[in-house]
Amino acid sequence: MSDTHKKEIDQISGVETTGHEWDGLKELNNPLPRWWLYSFYACIVWAVGYWIIYPSWPLISGYTSGVMGYSQRADALAAYDEGVSARSVFADQIVATALEDIPATPNLLEFAAANGAAAFGDNCAPCHGSGASGSEGYPNLQDDTWLWGGTLEDIHTTLLYGIRSDHDEARLGEMPAFGRDELLSRDEIKQVSNYVASRTGLETQDGVDLSVGEILYVDNCAACHGDDLRGIQEMGAPSLMSANYLYGKSLEAIKKQVHSPRNGVMPAWVDRLDEATIKSLAVYVHSFGGGQ
């Protein structure tokens, strides 16, 4: 490298060189355009002014407030307080209105739908899905299969206290583990599972005596699921004739559930969400069309 060469005019570009050359490459003297330099200097001046006028420099326990005393945090808190104040007008009306009257009151229904949709996305969608269609182990809230009832009041009660939650008023209902707790033998589980499958239109195994399975069903299952297999809603016992099974509708899935049932848990929201939000959620979920 050399920087002792005389300046010369580059033959290709016609631009004067700086006199510097690196491995045969000569540096052209192309200064920045004046407009760019002036813009750069103006930005520096602007930045200095911004540092003085607005809060910008972090300190040990705070930051410089600037000569204008502007605060985005204060603006955000003010906007939040304004939103809470505007919301409280309708929220108070929601609390004061009977649950069944909310859908019949257009302005309250509009608020409940918007408030419920936001609360559902934040609290319910992780389990039931953003579209409330559920998945294995998590109920589909759009169909008409409701373990504890699909009326507005039923949904509201379930939201308040949950299912098998730690709340004293939680909805409770657990299926015995007939196999794990040795209440039925493996062969008996096969027989009763095949009987249930035969009643619900599923293919059964060859060589299974369905009449024995029926007796086992009556003795062990009918008290909760009913003689007609249509369940008892007051006990949270599902209809076995339904097209929708929470943990899969197949003979093998039935066997697994009889042997070692899975009992899902829904949290109680009474101590987590305010009353207006819970009522809004009930109205919103009921609006999916699967309720009663």
Side-chain angles (χ1 to χ4, degrees):
M1 181 181 81
S2 172
D3 57 3
T4 59
H5 295 288
K6 287 185 178 182
K7 296 181 180 180
E8 58 184 72
I9 302 298
D10 179 62
Q11 295 181 354
I12 297 177
S13 64
V15 177
E16 184 183 39
T17 68
T18 63
H20 299 162
E21 182 177 341
W22 291 267
D23 299 328
L25 298 176
K26 297 179 180 179
E27 180 184 28
L28 301 181
N29 185 16
N30 279 321
L32 292 170
R34 289 188 178 276
W35 67 266
W36 194 98
L37 284 173
Y38 293 151
S39 298
F40 178 68
Y41 297 147
C43 287
I44 294 175
V45 173
W46 173 268
V48 172
Y50 193 95
W51 293 340
I52 297 172
I53 296 174
Y54 289 100
S56 50
W57 288 99
L59 304 175
I60 295 177
S61 59
Y63 53 88
T64 57
S65 59
V67 297
M68 293 187 65
Y70 173 76
S71 171
Q72 285 185 324
R73 178 181 177 83
D75 278 1
L77 290 174
Y80 173 79
D81 291 339
E82 183 180 349
V84 169
S85 177
R87 176 186 180 277
S88 65
V89 175
F90 286 105
D92 291 344
Q93 294 182 43
I94 289 285
V95 172
T97 304
L99 192 62
E100 62 273 13
D101 293 336
I102 294 175
T105 310
N107 60 335
L108 293 186
L109 176 60
E110 182 179 0
F111 174 82
N115 192 34
F120 187 91
D122 291 340
N123 301 280
C124 313
C127 291
H128 294 284
S130 58
S133 57
S135 60
E136 184 174 325
Y138 301 99
N140 181 354
L141 303 180
Q142 297 188 20
D143 60 28
D144 57 0
T145 302
W146 292 80
L147 296 182
W148 297 95
T151 66
L152 263 174
E153 190 59 42
D154 290 332
I155 296 171
H156 184 243
T157 300
T158 301
L159 284 167
L160 282 173
Y161 308 122
I163 299 171
R164 289 180 286 273
S165 69
D166 55 2
H167 196 279
D168 292 340
E169 297 185 51
R171 296 187 183 276
L172 299 175
E174 292 191 8
M175 178 173 171
F178 289 99
R180 188 181 63 222
D181 294 341
E182 299 182 352
L183 301 176
L184 294 176
S185 67
R186 185 176 295 274
D187 189 58
E188 288 173 327
I189 290 176
K190 180 175 72 172
Q191 290 169 325
V192 72
S193 298
N194 273 270
Y195 169 71
V196 171
S198 70
R199 290 290 303 275
T200 58
L202 296 174
E203 188 174 343
T204 59
Q205 293 176 273
D206 295 333
V208 176
D209 190 342
L210 297 180
S211 63
V212 175
E214 181 178 8
I215 295 172
L216 289 167
Y217 175 86
V218 172
D219 291 343
N220 297 276
C221 313
C224 293
H225 295 285
D227 293 332
D228 58 359
L229 283 76
R230 297 193 178 278
I232 300 176
Q233 202 165 78
E234 292 76 10
M235 301 177 66
S239 170
L240 303 179
M241 301 298 289
S242 171
N244 306 302
Y245 272 44
L246 196 56
Y247 296 105
K249 189 172 184 180
S250 67
L251 178 58
E252 287 305 312
I254 294 172
K255 287 181 180 179
K256 288 180 180 179
Q257 190 67 2
V258 173
H259 185 278
S260 302
R262 288 173 284 178
N263 295 302
V265 175
M266 175 178 167
W269 296 101
V270 64
D271 296 323
R272 306 185 186 198
L273 301 175
D274 59 71
E275 186 178 353
T277 300
I278 293 177
K279 292 178 79 170
S280 297
L281 264 174
V283 171
Y284 177 70
V285 171
H286 188 263
S287 71
F288 292 150
Q292 300 161 345

